[in-house]
Amino acid sequence: MTASDAEIARAADVLRTGGLVAFPTETVYGLGADASSTDAVHRLFAVKGRPADHPVIVHVGEAAQLDDWAVDVDDRARTLTRACWPGPLTVVVRRSPHVPDAVTGGLDTVGVRVPDQPVALALLRAFGGGVAAPSANRFGHVSPTTAADVLDDLGDDVDVILDGGPSRVGVESTIVDCSRPEPAILRLGGVPRERVEELLDRPVPLLDRGEVRAPGTLESHYAPHARVEVADPDSLADLLAEARERGDRVGVIGHPGADEAVEVLGVPCDGNEYAHDLYRMLRDADARGLDRVIAVLPDPTGLGAAVADRLRRASGARE
Ligand code: TXA
Ligand code: MG
């Protein structure tokens, strides 16, 4: 059920008094705090269980507010934000001096985005300032795509949870670092790399994990309790045979399933549907008490690339 205007107004007041508000976005649910308040952001990190030196994205209701948080915003960042906002794109730009270190993790840059979700926009516009928000899960868990997911993960530690229905995109925003001499993608996400390259009219490299201090780049992210393995249609049969031998309970994603011993978690028809369903399928695997999830990857184009990235990270978590 979508949050009412009164609930949104109350949530904006909670932000003003330093509280935490979980809110829907088109990518995943965010856990928000007043980005201008160091205390509020510290509380956010404590609830999330996240190391304090990790930067967090500032969410704003209007593209023009980028200039409240950033300096030296160049044409490339303007091109991207003009074309993609509101939408699943975060730009990393040089920070304005007043941005709290708690938000930037001490970096001289800041990540900013305008989400494309009516409840999120209403909240951000009612609040008026910037809202620092990581995904509303505990550090290292699967990102939430419904209000119920947030409640499961964070429960009473959040002051308000605004419901906006299931997230439309299902994977996090694409992060483009426009603060360096040549723009680079720090995280694949809701805006396909192809689209970023088309807008900037040049190839845009995807930076290796390790080159940036970003929790989305740690191997252990996006993982359910079940062990995740990535398969192609050829290796699937071997993995299933091995799992059967060990007596593991197995769920399969992206394949109709080889036999009745296997639980099918979903067979998305393309990268968009795969992205939309991904975190729900991983949570579902845990709810069913499965030992293992074997995922056949989608085509690595469009949102399929972000899906493959998240599944690889989830599979790396137990290695
Ligand atoms: O779709 C999304 O981006 C969601 C929704 C809630 O907006 N948010 C999200 O936040 O995924 P989080 O904290 O889970 O991931 C934010 C990523 C992290 O990898 C963080 O390190 C990176 O953004 N980031 C933020 N500011 C940065 C900066 N100045 N430089 C480099 N990376 C930055
Ligand atoms: Mg996250």
Side-chain angles (χ1 to χ4, degrees):
M1 213 169 337
T2 293
S4 66
D5 292 348
E7 287 172 307
I8 293 169
R10 192 173 86 78
D13 283 339
V14 166
L15 288 173
R16 276 183 206 106
T17 54
L20 301 183
V21 173
F23 62 99
T25 84
E26 78 281 35
T27 58
V28 300
Y29 275 65
L31 178 62
D34 178 355
S36 66
S37 162
T38 296
D39 286 348
V41 175
H42 280 160
R43 192 168 159 229
L44 173 69
F45 277 53
V47 164
K48 173 122 181 137
R50 181 183 203 170
D53 64 346
H54 284 165
V56 61
I57 296 169
V58 176
H59 297 67
V60 292
E62 306 286 345
Q65 288 172 275
L66 174 60
D67 297 290
D68 298 341
W69 297 91
V71 293
D72 302 336
V73 177
D74 68 10
D75 288 349
R76 304 162 318 185
R78 301 276 180 213
T79 299
L80 292 176
T81 59
R82 213 177 292 125
C84 300
W85 282 357
L89 172 90
T90 296
V91 286
V92 169
V93 285
R94 293 183 59 76
R95 71 188 277 191
S96 148
H98 70 77
V99 182
D101 281 339
V103 168
T104 65
L107 300 174
D108 59 3
T109 56
V110 62
V112 182
R113 91 176 186 101
V114 181
D116 183 19
Q117 209 287 345
V119 173
L121 288 172
L123 173 70
L124 293 167
R125 288 167 187 171
F127 176 61
V131 173
S135 50
N137 53 289
R138 301 254 187 233
F139 188 63
H141 281 194
V142 176
S143 299
T145 53
T146 65
D149 293 344
V150 178
L151 190 63
D152 272 354
D153 235 48
L154 300 178
D156 289 343
D157 288 346
V158 190
D159 298 308
V160 180
I161 301 177
L162 293 177
D163 198 340
S167 296
R168 176 173 57 80
V169 175
V171 291
E172 293 82 352
S173 60
T174 300
I175 304 179
V176 183
D177 187 348
C178 294
S179 73
R180 32 180 87 228
E182 290 299 325
I185 293 176
L186 304 186
R187 179 178 71 186
L188 294 166
V191 174
R193 180 182 190 171
E194 297 90 324
R195 176 70 177 141
V196 173
E197 295 188 328
E198 175 188 56
L199 287 166
L200 296 180
D201 195 24
R202 76 179 89 186
V204 180
L206 172 63
L207 288 197
D208 267 348
R209 16 191 120 166
E211 282 182 65
V212 270
R213 181 154 33 117
T217 66
L218 296 178
E219 295 290 332
S220 65
H221 260 67
Y222 314 105
H225 297 293
R227 184 164 130 209
V228 176
E229 288 153 304
V230 167
D232 52 47
D234 296 335
S235 62
L236 181 66
D238 286 349
L239 277 172
L240 287 175
E242 190 243 336
R244 200 173 300 118
E245 210 153 285
R246 294 168 54 120
D248 285 341
R249 281 190 61 201
V250 181
V252 172
I253 297 177
H255 191 278
D259 59 52
E260 61 287 351
V262 168
E263 299 193 33
V264 178
L265 292 164
V267 191
C269 68
D270 60 16
N272 289 349
E273 190 177 312
Y274 211 130
H276 181 270
D277 294 346
L278 179 65
Y279 293 141
R280 184 192 53 72
M281 294 186 290
L282 294 178
R283 281 176 183 265
D284 192 21
D286 284 345
R288 296 188 195 200
L290 301 180
D291 303 303
R292 293 164 77 158
V293 173
I294 301 178
V296 177
L297 295 180
D299 226 36
T301 57
L303 291 202
V307 169
D309 169 78
R310 301 303 189 274
L311 282 169
R312 287 215 182 84
R313 290 176 203 284
S315 71
R318 299 288 187 284
E319 277 165 15

